PDB file of all heavy atoms in Angstrom:
ATOM      1  N   ILE A1163     -14.681  36.439 -19.457  1.00 77.00           N
ATOM      2  CA  ILE A1163     -14.356  35.100 -19.738  1.00 77.00           C
ATOM      3  C   ILE A1163     -14.044  34.900 -21.245  1.00 77.00           C
ATOM      4  O   ILE A1163     -13.306  33.996 -21.606  1.00 77.00           O
ATOM      5  CB  ILE A1163     -15.457  34.156 -19.231  1.00 77.00           C
ATOM      6  CG1 ILE A1163     -15.371  34.050 -17.704  1.00 77.00           C
ATOM      7  CG2 ILE A1163     -15.361  32.722 -19.792  1.00 77.00           C
ATOM      8  CD1 ILE A1163     -16.407  33.254 -17.056  1.00 77.00           C
ATOM      9  N   GLY A1164     -14.563  35.768 -22.032  1.00 78.00           N
ATOM     10  CA  GLY A1164     -14.183  35.742 -23.472  1.00 78.00           C
ATOM     11  C   GLY A1164     -15.031  34.744 -24.237  1.00 78.00           C
ATOM     12  O   GLY A1164     -16.225  34.694 -24.099  1.00 78.00           O
ATOM     13  N   SER A1165     -14.343  33.964 -25.032  1.00 85.00           N
ATOM     14  CA  SER A1165     -15.051  33.044 -25.956  1.00 85.00           C
ATOM     15  C   SER A1165     -15.729  31.894 -25.256  1.00 85.00           C
ATOM     16  O   SER A1165     -15.107  31.209 -24.433  1.00 85.00           O
ATOM     17  CB  SER A1165     -14.004  32.508 -26.938  1.00 85.00           C
ATOM     18  OG  SER A1165     -14.605  31.590 -27.774  1.00 85.00           O
ATOM     19  N   ILE A1166     -16.998  31.680 -25.553  1.00 90.00           N
ATOM     20  CA  ILE A1166     -17.700  30.543 -24.971  1.00 90.00           C
ATOM     21  C   ILE A1166     -18.260  29.645 -26.049  1.00 90.00           C
ATOM     22  O   ILE A1166     -19.044  28.758 -25.799  1.00 90.00           O
ATOM     23  CB  ILE A1166     -18.870  30.996 -24.051  1.00 90.00           C
ATOM     24  CG1 ILE A1166     -19.759  31.983 -24.729  1.00 90.00           C
ATOM     25  CG2 ILE A1166     -18.335  31.561 -22.773  1.00 90.00           C
ATOM     26  CD1 ILE A1166     -21.005  32.432 -23.942  1.00 90.00           C
ATOM     27  N   GLY A1167     -17.788  29.878 -27.285  1.00 91.00           N
ATOM     28  CA  GLY A1167     -18.196  29.011 -28.396  1.00 91.00           C
ATOM     29  C   GLY A1167     -17.657  29.579 -29.707  1.00 91.00           C
ATOM     30  O   GLY A1167     -17.339  30.748 -29.772  1.00 91.00           O
ATOM     31  N   GLY A1168     -17.559  28.705 -30.654  1.00 90.00           N
ATOM     32  CA  GLY A1168     -17.040  29.205 -31.952  1.00 90.00           C
ATOM     33  C   GLY A1168     -17.308  28.145 -33.022  1.00 90.00           C
ATOM     34  O   GLY A1168     -17.714  26.992 -32.751  1.00 90.00           O
ATOM     35  N   GLY A1169     -17.113  28.541 -34.259  1.00 91.00           N
ATOM     36  CA  GLY A1169     -17.290  27.579 -35.313  1.00 91.00           C
ATOM     37  C   GLY A1169     -17.109  28.282 -36.686  1.00 91.00           C
ATOM     38  O   GLY A1169     -16.714  29.421 -36.749  1.00 91.00           O
ATOM     39  N   GLY A1170     -17.423  27.524 -37.681  1.00 93.00           N
ATOM     40  CA  GLY A1170     -17.288  28.098 -39.012  1.00 93.00           C
ATOM     41  C   GLY A1170     -17.392  27.048 -40.129  1.00 93.00           C
ATOM     42  O   GLY A1170     -17.641  25.872 -39.834  1.00 93.00           O
ATOM     43  N   ARG A1171     -17.235  27.518 -41.342  1.00 94.00           N
ATOM     44  CA  ARG A1171     -17.392  26.645 -42.480  1.00 94.00           C
ATOM     45  C   ARG A1171     -16.011  26.175 -42.949  1.00 94.00           C
ATOM     46  O   ARG A1171     -15.025  26.915 -42.960  1.00 94.00           O
ATOM     47  CB  ARG A1171     -18.106  27.341 -43.623  1.00 94.00           C
ATOM     48  CG  ARG A1171     -18.134  26.496 -44.912  1.00 94.00           C
ATOM     49  CD  ARG A1171     -19.152  27.042 -45.928  1.00 94.00           C
ATOM     50  NE  ARG A1171     -20.514  26.848 -45.562  1.00 94.00           N
ATOM     51  CZ  ARG A1171     -21.127  25.649 -45.733  1.00 94.00           C
ATOM     52  NH1 ARG A1171     -20.516  24.591 -46.251  1.00 94.00           N
ATOM     53  NH2 ARG A1171     -22.415  25.566 -45.426  1.00 94.00           N
ATOM     54  N   TYR A1172     -15.989  24.896 -43.302  1.00 90.00           N
ATOM     55  CA  TYR A1172     -14.731  24.338 -43.853  1.00 90.00           C
ATOM     56  C   TYR A1172     -15.119  23.578 -45.103  1.00 90.00           C
ATOM     57  O   TYR A1172     -16.078  22.852 -45.163  1.00 90.00           O
ATOM     58  CB  TYR A1172     -14.075  23.377 -42.848  1.00 90.00           C
ATOM     59  CG  TYR A1172     -15.096  22.533 -42.071  1.00 90.00           C
ATOM     60  CD1 TYR A1172     -15.521  21.328 -42.594  1.00 90.00           C
ATOM     61  CD2 TYR A1172     -15.579  22.963 -40.870  1.00 90.00           C
ATOM     62  CE1 TYR A1172     -16.461  20.528 -41.936  1.00 90.00           C
ATOM     63  CE2 TYR A1172     -16.489  22.157 -40.147  1.00 90.00           C
ATOM     64  CZ  TYR A1172     -16.938  20.950 -40.705  1.00 90.00           C
ATOM     65  OH  TYR A1172     -17.848  20.188 -40.050  1.00 90.00           O
ATOM     66  N   ASP A1173     -14.365  23.801 -46.159  1.00 85.00           N
ATOM     67  CA  ASP A1173     -14.582  23.053 -47.416  1.00 85.00           C
ATOM     68  C   ASP A1173     -13.723  21.798 -47.327  1.00 85.00           C
ATOM     69  O   ASP A1173     -12.563  21.886 -46.908  1.00 85.00           O
ATOM     70  CB  ASP A1173     -14.129  23.875 -48.650  1.00 85.00           C
ATOM     71  CG  ASP A1173     -15.002  25.078 -48.803  1.00 85.00           C
ATOM     72  OD1 ASP A1173     -16.195  25.024 -48.413  1.00 85.00           O
ATOM     73  OD2 ASP A1173     -14.530  26.041 -49.291  1.00 85.00           O
ATOM     74  N   ASP A1174     -14.261  20.702 -47.602  1.00 84.00           N
ATOM     75  CA  ASP A1174     -13.399  19.570 -47.865  1.00 84.00           C
ATOM     76  C   ASP A1174     -12.592  19.122 -46.658  1.00 84.00           C
ATOM     77  O   ASP A1174     -11.344  18.918 -46.743  1.00 84.00           O
ATOM     78  CB  ASP A1174     -12.446  19.949 -48.984  1.00 84.00           C
ATOM     79  CG  ASP A1174     -11.853  18.693 -49.601  1.00 84.00           C
ATOM     80  OD1 ASP A1174     -12.536  17.699 -49.582  1.00 84.00           O
ATOM     81  OD2 ASP A1174     -10.707  18.773 -50.093  1.00 84.00           O
ATOM     82  N   LEU A1175     -13.204  19.075 -45.473  1.00 85.00           N
ATOM     83  CA  LEU A1175     -12.489  18.605 -44.309  1.00 85.00           C
ATOM     84  C   LEU A1175     -12.042  17.109 -44.436  1.00 85.00           C
ATOM     85  O   LEU A1175     -11.023  16.718 -43.986  1.00 85.00           O
ATOM     86  CB  LEU A1175     -13.371  18.787 -43.059  1.00 85.00           C
ATOM     87  CG  LEU A1175     -12.685  18.651 -41.700  1.00 85.00           C
ATOM     88  CD1 LEU A1175     -11.618  19.633 -41.479  1.00 85.00           C
ATOM     89  CD2 LEU A1175     -13.727  18.737 -40.576  1.00 85.00           C
ATOM     90  N   THR A1176     -12.979  16.349 -45.076  1.00 90.00           N
ATOM     91  CA  THR A1176     -12.664  14.950 -45.121  1.00 90.00           C
ATOM     92  C   THR A1176     -11.641  14.612 -46.237  1.00 90.00           C
ATOM     93  O   THR A1176     -11.145  13.521 -46.338  1.00 90.00           O
ATOM     94  CB  THR A1176     -13.939  14.127 -45.449  1.00 90.00           C
ATOM     95  OG1 THR A1176     -14.548  14.681 -46.626  1.00 90.00           O
ATOM     96  CG2 THR A1176     -14.935  14.186 -44.297  1.00 90.00           C
TER      97      THR A1176
END
Side-chain angles (χ1 to χ4, degrees):
Chain A
I1163 286 177
S1165 173
I1166 50 175
R1171 175 166 287 280
Y1172 40 86
D1173 294 330
D1174 200 28
L1175 191 62
T1176 53

